[in-house]
Amino acid sequence: TYRVANNSSEDVLFAPIFELATSDGQILRSGREVPAEVTRAILHKLDSPLMMDQISILGTLQQGEANAREGVVVWPLPAVSMDTSNLYVAGLSGETKVVDAVDHKTKELKRVTIRKTRMMRFRFPGEVLSQGSEPFPVVEDRWILR
């Protein structure tokens, strides 16, 4: 779950992208291969009338704390035992930069846009399922360009 508020001087389009990178190299985009009924069940269990799924929360985020939104994102469980995982959230900031990068397939130089992205590293103590509803410990939290 997360909460977002727009503290800028104008309304902004809110369309975040949440990706989970596992320690074995998988990158999972939130919501993919997650049945809608699973998300509905999680929302029901959270029992918060203002909590929105990752599609419902998209749109114009008005200025001010009074217009903050609460959301939930869900991924399929890649493994019941993991050491660490990185969460990347793009779309919280409008900051971008165009850089030259080598295309790994063609080996040619191309221009790409990288975005200011929130990166959080989580540690999973033991099996993921044994954690219950307790939050996973955050061991790193910073902004990167990705």
Side-chain angles (χ1 to χ4, degrees), residues 4-14 57 59-69:
V4 62
N6 176 5
N7 297 317
S8 73
S9 59
E10 58 189 49
D11 295 348
V12 295
L13 175 64
F14 183 64
I57 204 166
T60 302
L61 184 57
Q62 296 177 329
Q63 303 166 54
E65 194 64 34
N67 295 307
R69 295 184 189 170

Side-chain angles (χ1 to χ4, degrees), residues 1 7 9-10 12 18 21 23 28 31 34 37 40-41 48 58 61 67 75 92 111-112 114 116 129 139 141 144-145:
T1 61
N7 297 317
S9 59
E10 58 189 49
V12 295
F18 293 84
S23 52
L28 307 168
V34 176
E37 58 269 12
R40 281 193 298 274
S48 175
L58 300 176
L61 184 57
N67 295 307
W75 293 269
L92 300 177
R111 298 192 59 79
V112 296
I114 55 177
K116 185 175 180 180
L129 299 176
V139 294
D141 185 353
I144 63 171
L145 288 172

Side-chain angles (χ1 to χ4, degrees), residues 94-143:
E95 187 177 335
T96 62
K97 184 175 183 178
V98 177
V99 297
D100 292 325
V102 175
D103 184 311
H104 295 291
K105 292 180 184 173
T106 67
K107 306 296 184 209
E108 295 179 10
L109 202 60
K110 66 178 184 178
R111 298 192 59 79
V112 296
T113 301
I114 55 177
R115 291 171 170 67
K116 185 175 180 180
T117 301
R118 186 78 175 268
M119 194 263 321
M120 299 173 75
R121 184 181 318 267
F122 293 88
R123 175 159 296 135
F124 300 99
E127 285 197 3
V128 176
L129 299 176
S130 66
Q131 187 73 11
S133 61
E134 290 298 312
F136 294 106
V138 177
V139 294
E140 185 177 2
D141 185 353
R142 65 187 173 115
W143 290 96

Side-chain angles (χ1 to χ4, degrees), residues 32-48:
R32 291 200 179 149
E33 298 182 35
V34 176
E37 58 269 12
V38 170
T39 301
R40 281 193 298 274
I42 291 170
L43 284 167
H44 180 74
K45 185 173 177 113
L46 291 170
D47 195 29
S48 175

